[in-house]
Amino acid sequence: MIKRIIAYSEGPDDAATRDFYVRVLGLDVAMEYPVLGLRSSDHPAAQVLVLPPGGTDPVPRWGIDLGEPEAVERAHAEAVRRGLRVVYPLTDEPWGVRRFFVEDPGGTVVNVLAHVTGSSGTE
């Protein structure tokens, strides 16, 4: 079950970036670490993450939150079985996210993730 799909932007977390997403587009700041996370107050699953320049290699274009860590493990196994290119290994991050990055058939990098039990956040 897909919980949400998150768009990624790359750029500095500075006053101009926050002002654009908060004052121009009306998003709320939901997270400041490890990236700037913004979301709609009316539809919290509508989110944008601002990644610092050079902070992630490769840079994902979007994330797909599968809701449960076990679903991430199943997706990882299926991606490997199909011979897709996993460009960031299955990892439990210190901020409470299990994830991996995979290239879709067109070469777009996708962050496949879920929060581990007891954690919350925007990524």
Side-chain angles (χ1 to χ4, degrees):
M1 173 179 169
I2 296 174
K3 185 176 178 180
R4 62 198 165 111
I5 297 176
I6 309 123
Y8 290 94
S9 174
E10 190 176 27
D13 174 5
D14 59 14
T17 299
R18 284 175 184 251
D19 189 61
F20 173 75
Y21 286 104
V22 173
R23 298 193 185 272
V24 175
L25 298 179
L27 296 173
D28 298 324
V29 174
M31 179 176 65
E32 295 180 318
Y33 174 82
V35 297
L36 176 61
L38 304 127
R39 69 176 167 211
S40 165
S41 59
D42 295 331
H43 303 285
Q47 300 177 0
V48 174
L49 295 182
V50 179
L51 307 173
T56 304
D57 185 26
V59 177
R61 288 297 134 214
W62 55 73
I64 298 181
D65 184 342
L66 298 181
E68 299 293 332
E70 296 78 16
V72 174
E73 292 166 11
R74 287 190 301 272
H76 180 267
E78 183 64 14
V80 169
R81 187 187 75 76
R82 291 176 176 261
L84 297 171
R85 185 167 174 249
V86 174
V87 297
Y88 184 85
L90 184 62
T91 304
D92 287 334
E93 300 293 359
W95 55 87
V97 170
R98 179 168 296 146
R99 69 180 182 164
F100 71 98
F101 296 178
V102 62
E103 282 186 356
D104 73 10
T108 299
V109 176
V110 179
N111 179 7
V112 181
L113 67 120
H115 288 92
V116 294
T117 305
S119 70
S120 62
T122 302
E123 185 178 11

